[in-house]
């Protein structure tokens, strides 16, 4: 796809070629293990350097190639690889670069399961694991050793949404030929241009916004030219595959990514501001808010915000916490995020090795979905009212959420168009 078109246009046209599939608009689900060659010459011509068995279902079909091509283009990297989950993309992107005796630096705000993998698996394999303060910036230079092979960044970080100075970290890492691997799931390929900010490998838990409909799990890792041979070889040797049926769902989800992200961003900001004003809320952790510690870096480096953030309650009782979570009609209590639907999640105190998490209040992660915003705000207001009432004996909150939404966008659109 010609790269001078706007990314919102390329999102619709890249990664597919109807002429290859009988005119079908979408690349079909191509399933298969054996791929036969008509002649010996053609069989031999398919051998690729480093992989004499490239013509085999384990290395993907046309469906896989569609997604990998599209992701490399959207992320602005050299090539992409799909993995069966976001976590698999994280763990294999690390394993592809390290050997026993190497030192790896990970942000203290890294996604919990990536942290567990580093602490449990990498250390067992003889890799030294060290966590650094997400706010470190160029100070990462002081943590680097002769054997530091990789710096893992995630911005904003899981649970606490700390924004990292990735260009400053990448500059220091590259002075020593150290690779910078990023979990870029929160912003996705549209809102953070990882390669323009010095990242060598950008990872997406496609399970989240790329799938967008909470119906498949997948990961994608995209590398620049320097990191690609190592990433590909490292991943290939593990023999993982990703189902073409699931890849089809990611391709389908991607077509509407831009539209969905606009709505997640807008509604997420509005709900974050609403919560910030609420008397029961201690603090909202969202880098889009002007008084957030990560706001200036977010404004400098990001092109938008997702619908995921957190907030901290002022001290409340267990009964109040139960009243809060049990009073929603629209927000579900559940893991994952990035689907069309809204979620709330009670968070354990974030595990931190460098700067301990010292807030005692209940931490809640919020995923703002695509429902009409006014309904979401009413549902949240209702749950907060129930939380307040649960502190007073014999007070029962109303069961009904009161909301009055005008049909979405009609007035607003008419003004613009007419
Ligand atoms: C969910 C998530 C992952 C893992 O994705 P799965 O597909 O659930 O394995 C990785 N990183 C971040 C930041 C996530 O939120």
């Amino acid at each position: 796809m010609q790269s001078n078109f706007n990314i919102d246009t390329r999102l619709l046209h890249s990664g597919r070629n109807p002429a290859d599939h009988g005119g079908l608009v979408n690349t079909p689900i191509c399933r298969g293990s054996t791929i036969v060659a008509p002649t010996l010459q053609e069989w031999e011509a398919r051998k690729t350097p480093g992989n004499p068995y490239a013509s085999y279902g384990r290395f993907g079909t046309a469906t896989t190639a569609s997604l990998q091509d599209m992701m490399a283009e959207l992320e602005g990297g050299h090539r992409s690889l799909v993995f069966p989950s976001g976590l698999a993309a994280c763990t294999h992107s690390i394993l592809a670069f390290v050997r026993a005796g190497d030192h790896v630096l990970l942000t203290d705000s890294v996604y919990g399961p990536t942290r567990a993998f580093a602490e449990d698996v990498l250390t067992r394999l003889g890799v030294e694991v060290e966590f650094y303060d997400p706010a470190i910036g160029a100070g990462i230079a002081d943590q680097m050793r002769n054997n530091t092979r990789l710096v893992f960044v995630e911005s904003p970080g899981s649970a606490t949404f700390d924004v990292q100075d990735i260009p400053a970290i990448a500059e220091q890492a590259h002075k020593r030929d150290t690779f910078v691997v990023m979990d870029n799931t929160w912003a996705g390929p549209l809102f953070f241009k990882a390669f323009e900010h010095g990242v060598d490998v950008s990872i997406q838990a496609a399970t989240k916004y790329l799938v967008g409909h909470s119906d498949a799990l997948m990961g994608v890792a995209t590398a620049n030219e320097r990191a690609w041979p190592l990433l590909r070889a490292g991943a290939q040797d593990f023999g993982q595959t990703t189902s073409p049926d699931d890849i089809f769902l990611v391709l389908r989800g991607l077509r509407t990514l831009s539209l969905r992200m606009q709505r997640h961003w807008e509604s997420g900001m509005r709900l974050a501001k609403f919560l910030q004003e609420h008397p029961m809320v201690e603090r909202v952790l969202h880098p889009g808010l002007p008084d957030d510690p990560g706001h200036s870096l977010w404004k400098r480096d990001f092109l938008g915000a997702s619908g995921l953030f957190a907030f901290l309650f002022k001290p409340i009782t267990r009964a109040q916490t139960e009243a809060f979570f049990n009073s929603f009609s629209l927000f579900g209590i559940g893991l994952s995020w990035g689907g069309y639907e809204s979620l709330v999640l009670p968070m354990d105190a974030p595990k931190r090795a460098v700067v301990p998490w010292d807030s005692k209040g209940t931490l809640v992660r919020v995923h703002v979905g695509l429902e009409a915003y006014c309904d979401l705000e009413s549902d949240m207001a209702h749950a907060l009212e129930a939380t307040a009432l649960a502190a007073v004996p014999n007070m029962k909150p109303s069961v009904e959420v009161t909301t009055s939404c005008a049909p979405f966008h009609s007035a607003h659109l008419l003004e613009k168009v007419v």
Side-chain angles (χ1 to χ4, degrees):
M1 177 86 207
Q2 254 176 281
S3 62
N4 58 338
F5 286 116
N6 185 284
I7 189 134
D8 289 356
T9 301
R10 285 189 274 146
L11 201 53
L12 302 175
H13 289 267
S14 75
R16 62 191 188 86
N17 186 13
D20 290 346
H21 306 286
L24 289 169
V25 168
N26 296 297
T27 307
I29 299 169
C30 301
R31 290 201 188 101
S33 52
T34 297
I35 302 164
V36 294
T39 63
L40 178 67
Q41 288 84 344
E42 195 163 311
W43 176 251
E44 286 174 345
R46 285 184 195 168
K47 293 186 177 185
T48 61
N51 181 14
Y53 304 110
S55 261
Y56 183 40
R58 199 167 65 221
F59 306 104
T61 66
T63 317
T64 322
S66 277
L67 179 61
Q68 291 180 163
D69 291 351
M70 185 167 176
M71 284 306 297
E73 184 179 337
L74 293 180
E75 289 264 36
H78 174 60
R79 299 280 296 274
S80 300
L81 264 185
V82 294
F83 292 89
S85 71
L87 182 59
C90 293
T91 59
H92 287 279
S93 296
I94 297 174
L95 279 175
F97 295 94
V98 298
R99 66 180 69 186
D102 281 348
H103 173 240
V104 166
L105 285 164
L106 292 101
T107 175
D108 212 9
S109 55
V110 75
Y111 177 61
T114 306
R115 180 185 203 97
F117 166 79
E119 288 178 327
D120 301 340
V121 183
L122 287 182
T123 51
R124 179 155 53 76
L125 300 178
V127 175
E128 263 184 280
V129 169
E130 195 183 339
F131 295 96
Y132 63 87
D133 184 347
I136 204 163
I140 195 85
D142 299 333
Q143 308 291 116
M144 306 269 293
R145 305 184 199 161
N146 291 335
N147 59 340
T148 307
R149 179 72 167 152
L150 186 147
V151 179
F152 197 94
V153 298
E154 182 182 324
S155 181
S158 278
T160 46
F161 301 92
D162 329 58
V163 183
Q164 296 193 250
D165 191 340
I166 292 179
I169 291 173
E171 191 189 342
Q172 297 305 323
H174 291 157
K175 280 186 187 163
R176 295 165 166 268
D177 283 336
T178 299
F179 287 95
V180 179
V181 176
M182 177 178 193
D183 186 330
N184 191 19
T185 304
W186 184 85
L190 299 184
F191 288 168
F192 187 79
K193 296 295 172 192
F195 296 98
E196 291 174 16
H197 292 91
V199 167
D200 298 295
V201 176
S202 175
I203 298 160
Q204 297 292 342
T207 309
K208 310 293 166 54
Y209 287 118
L210 310 195
V211 165
H213 296 72
S214 308
D215 51 7
L217 288 138
M218 199 172 302
V220 185
T222 304
N224 59 16
E225 273 189 87
R226 179 169 85 108
W228 171 250
L230 288 166
L231 177 70
R232 192 190 68 161
Q236 192 169 283
D237 292 343
F238 279 92
Q240 300 199 86
T241 67
T242 306
S243 148
D245 299 68
D246 288 345
I247 292 175
F248 184 88
L249 292 175
V250 182
L251 282 164
R252 189 214 288 239
L254 273 168
R255 304 296 173 200
T256 55
L257 182 68
S258 175
L259 270 175
R260 289 186 286 110
M261 292 310 288
Q262 295 292 334
R263 179 78 164 256
H264 286 298
W265 178 13
E266 184 186 331
S267 296
M269 281 305 316
R270 291 174 75 180
L271 196 69
K273 285 183 185 154
F274 168 79
L275 284 164
Q276 204 173 27
E277 299 296 312
H278 199 279
M280 297 191 74
V281 172
E282 174 80 34
R283 184 154 84 88
V284 179
L285 296 80
H286 188 314
L289 294 172
D291 53 359
D292 188 89
H295 184 69
S296 56
L297 281 177
W298 174 77
K299 232 178 138 174
R300 185 192 73 186
D301 294 344
F302 287 71
L303 301 169
S306 75
L308 189 78
F309 66 92
F311 76 91
L312 202 59
F313 266 113
K314 286 184 181 158
I316 53 171
T317 63
R318 168 74 196 178
Q320 286 184 288
T321 305
E322 284 177 21
F324 175 72
F325 283 102
N326 295 343
S327 298
F328 286 102
S329 300
L330 299 175
F331 288 83
I333 307 168
L335 280 174
S336 200
W337 47 277
Y340 53 80
E341 84 291 9
S342 293
L343 298 168
V344 281
L345 184 71
M347 303 288 279
D348 293 332
K351 227 180 156 184
R352 296 290 181 263
V354 186
V355 183
W357 176 255
D358 61 359
S359 303
K360 298 274 176 291
T362 308
L363 184 64
V364 180
R365 192 179 73 181
V366 183
H367 179 250
V368 180
L370 303 176
E371 298 91 340
Y373 175 74
C374 52
D375 285 338
L376 290 178
E377 190 183 292
S378 302
D379 203 31
M380 181 61 76
H382 177 258
L384 288 167
E385 195 195 328
T387 313
L389 290 176
V392 188
N394 303 322
M395 283 294 280
K396 283 266 170 286
S398 62
V399 219
E400 288 281 315
V401 180
T402 39
T403 176
S404 57
C405 267
F408 185 71
H409 269 8
S410 54
H412 167 89
L413 253 189
L414 268 175
E415 251 172 59
K416 277 195 195 164
V417 179
V418 185

